[in-house]
Amino acid sequence: MAQNSKRDDDRICRVLIRADDERLSPGKYWTRQEKRQWGCGLFCGGAMLYACRTVMPLCVVSLAKEFKWNKTESGTVLSSFFWGYTMTQFIGGYLSDRVGGEIVVPMAAAFWSIITFWTPQLVYISKDKQVTLNILVLSRVLLGIFQGFHYPSFTSIISRKVIEQERSLTYSFISSGSYLGTLFTGSLGSLLLDNYGWHSAFYFTGTCGIIWLLLLRYCLISREQDKYVVVSLADNVVAPGKTVPKDYTSVPWLTLSTKLAFWSLIVGHFCQNNAFFVLLSWMPTYFHESFPSAKGWVFNVVPWVVTIPSSIFSGWLADVMICKGYTVTFVRKFMETVALCGSAIFLMLIGYTSSFEASLFCLACAVACCGFHGSGILINPQDIAPKHAGSVFGIMNMAGAIPGFVGVYIAGNILEATKSWGAVFSQTAVVCIFGWIVYMVFGTGKVII
């Protein structure tokens, strides 16, 4: 009886919070139906984003064979995406906080979908190996530039449209779309790669990205365009003699830069992304070389199948823990412990495995642990800077994108020098532990600006 009463109290508390928020700020938060619609739309967007991003790691072995690349050249192509990805993180968050992520997301998506679709045509512009490599590197940089707008934009959307008690689950659900996209590429992309060649994988994922963009434009954005214009005018027009609303003042970067919690966020995100990007970029190559007879659709699918439920579960668990009275700081650190320490443990274990099944299990668990990052550091900017979440996330993700080219490139060089996958995974695990220690000591879930 006591437990049922407590659950009823929690439900009543949520209803009163939502009702009070909507009374004070009518139309500020999504209704339950709008949250479902936009959640599904952005979930699919994350899937298409990662499908277009991961098609190159899927096909890099075939491309390397056709164009006679060594490991360093393959690593250059894989890592070049993140050279562009770092450039637009901050501007993506800033624009989304100012004009709305609903505007920024589809504009950027149009470019990264088209670039993906046209990649097979770009590689045959020249017959010179070096020119072909440079063209591919440039296309990957441009892909990164336009994809860099996505995560800061939807972070800004959620911080404005979802109440705090429901953000963890909403954010984790939308973020888990990235794992579906990787699964999508790993399964259907692998089948296309094996049966029709690497060109077909690029054409297919690029087309799917364009279809998603059109559906988002005409099913959600176009339908509510008038609503966005009205809300934008209401929020941004300032009457004579009035001050600019606090929500739209400049981000106090000087104050933020003095907070250790902000820097711990950057360090922790950097270290976790290093593990994720190394796995994302090199996992197909690892299995191709270590277990040549293994089926691509198996090792490109299994790790991402288990990561989708782990990501959604972490969001649900975080919201439940917060509603039960655990502090936001404790919840974020608990989730990040699973993400960073869990990934580190399973990465270290890979060096002691010799069978395909054991290696697949360890890598699947390592990637699944990464799913808890969405309820830890990834959502933390909305805790520490709720009115500037897009901008703060942009800075954090800019630093987090650096391992995409530095970490992936270094991994390629370590592999070239040592011929040891164990060395690659071990140094990645050490970086994870370092990030965990920093975030445990200095991280917080309290508002700091």
Side-chain angles (χ1 to χ4, degrees):
M1 289 292 290
Q3 290 179 345
N4 290 336
S5 176
K6 183 170 177 26
R7 282 197 296 268
D8 291 339
D9 289 343
D10 288 341
R11 292 194 199 100
I12 292 170
C13 177
R14 286 193 179 203
V15 171
L16 290 176
I17 289 170
R18 178 182 288 277
D20 189 51
D21 284 331
E22 292 184 351
R23 178 178 60 81
L24 294 174
S25 248
K28 179 179 180 181
Y29 297 114
W30 281 330
T31 63
R32 195 168 298 278
Q33 182 179 4
E34 287 174 329
K35 189 171 71 173
R36 289 196 191 101
Q37 292 171 341
W38 275 99
C40 290
L42 292 173
F43 172 86
C44 293
M48 291 301 99
L49 184 91
Y50 262 76
C52 290
R53 182 184 302 186
T54 56
V55 68
M56 181 60 76
L58 175 76
C59 299
V60 72
V61 174
S62 298
L63 281 161
K65 184 177 180 180
E66 180 174 341
F67 296 104
K68 297 178 174 59
W69 296 338
N70 58 32
K71 288 291 190 304
T72 301
E73 288 171 329
S74 296
T76 301
V77 172
L78 292 174
S79 63
S80 59
F81 168 87
F82 298 96
W83 302 349
Y85 195 61
T86 58
M87 297 179 189
T88 49
Q89 294 294 322
F90 171 71
I91 190 63
Y94 177 82
L95 288 175
S96 299
D97 285 342
R98 294 286 172 167
V99 304
E102 302 91 340
I103 297 173
V104 177
V105 166
M107 291 180 65
F111 288 98
W112 53 255
S113 298
I114 292 171
I115 290 171
T116 303
F117 182 85
W118 282 109
T119 296
Q121 299 299 319
L122 296 175
V123 298
Y124 295 114
I125 290 177
S126 173
K127 294 182 178 180
D128 184 86
K129 172 187 173 182
Q130 190 59 44
V131 173
T132 299
L133 184 67
N134 292 338
I135 290 173
L136 268 181
V137 167
L138 178 60
S139 70
R140 292 284 290 172
V141 170
L142 291 174
L143 183 72
I145 285 173
F146 292 112
Q147 289 207 348
F149 287 94
H150 189 85
Y151 270 87
S153 297
F154 93 70
T155 298
S156 178
I157 294 172
I158 293 173
S159 69
R160 291 186 293 108
K161 294 295 186 179
V162 181
I163 63 173
E164 183 179 358
Q165 290 76 14
E166 298 177 0
R167 283 179 190 166
S168 295
L169 179 56
T170 303
Y171 193 93
S172 296
F173 173 72
I174 294 174
S175 296
S176 66
S178 63
Y179 306 119
L180 178 63
T182 309
L183 171 63
F184 180 79
T185 302
S187 55
L188 293 178
S190 293
L191 293 175
L192 289 170
L193 176 64
D194 292 341
N195 293 291
Y196 302 102
W198 63 267
H199 314 76
S200 61
F202 282 92
Y203 288 135
F204 182 69
T205 52
T207 301
C208 289
I210 294 170
I211 292 172
W212 165 77
L213 169 62
L214 294 175
L215 290 174
L216 181 75
R217 174 69 178 82
Y218 291 106
C219 294
L220 287 177
I221 297 176
S222 178
R223 189 182 64 189
E224 299 187 4
Q225 190 169 18
D226 292 339
K227 174 183 172 182
Y228 294 137
V229 172
V230 171
V231 172
S232 178
L233 288 173
D235 286 345
N236 288 287
V237 174
V238 182
K242 299 287 187 180
T243 58
V244 178
K246 188 177 180 181
D247 295 50
Y248 295 93
T249 56
S250 299
V251 183
W253 292 114
L254 184 60
T255 302
L256 189 64
S257 66
T258 64
K259 305 293 184 180
L260 290 175
F262 170 68
W263 292 107
S264 72
L265 204 67
I266 290 178
V267 172
H269 189 52
F270 178 97
C271 295
Q272 197 281 334
N273 271 13
N274 181 69
F276 180 76
F277 290 142
V278 166
L279 288 171
L280 182 70
S281 299
W282 288 109
M283 191 162 56
T285 305
Y286 165 74
F287 280 109
H288 274 299
E289 293 191 350
S290 302
F291 308 100
S293 61
K295 297 293 184 181
W297 66 267
V298 176
F299 57 75
N300 285 321
V301 168
V302 172
W304 310 108
V305 166
V306 298
T307 305
I308 295 172
S310 80
S311 179
I312 297 174
F313 170 76
S314 73
W316 171 82
L317 180 61
D319 280 346
V320 169
M321 291 175 71
I322 291 172
C323 284
K324 286 185 177 296
Y326 290 94
T327 65
V328 175
T329 299
F330 175 83
V331 172
R332 300 298 178 232
K333 289 184 176 181
F334 175 79
M335 296 298 165
E336 207 55 43
T337 297
V338 177
L340 288 169
C341 291
S343 296
I345 290 170
F346 287 108
L347 284 170
M348 292 293 290
L349 288 175
I350 292 174
Y352 299 95
T353 61
S354 57
S355 67
F356 170 72
E357 292 76 13
S359 296
L360 182 63
F361 174 79
C362 288
L363 281 173
C365 290
V367 178
C369 289
C370 291
F372 281 75
H373 186 62
S375 300
I377 286 177
L378 267 186
I379 198 173
N380 211 191
Q382 300 177 40
D383 303 320
I384 67 172
K387 294 175 181 177
H388 309 288
S391 299
V392 174
F393 183 92
I395 291 294
M396 181 186 79
N397 216 32
M398 184 187 298
I402 293 175
F405 56 88
V406 175
V408 172
Y409 181 78
I410 289 175
N413 278 275
I414 291 174
L415 194 58
E416 190 76 23
T418 66
K419 311 299 181 185
S420 170
W421 285 101
V424 172
F425 294 132
S426 294
Q427 66 88 21
T428 304
V430 171
V431 173
C432 285
I433 295 300
F434 174 76
W436 173 74
I437 293 172
V438 172
Y439 188 68
M440 288 302 106
V441 175
F442 300 111
T444 184
K446 297 178 181 178
V447 176
I448 60 177
I449 60 170

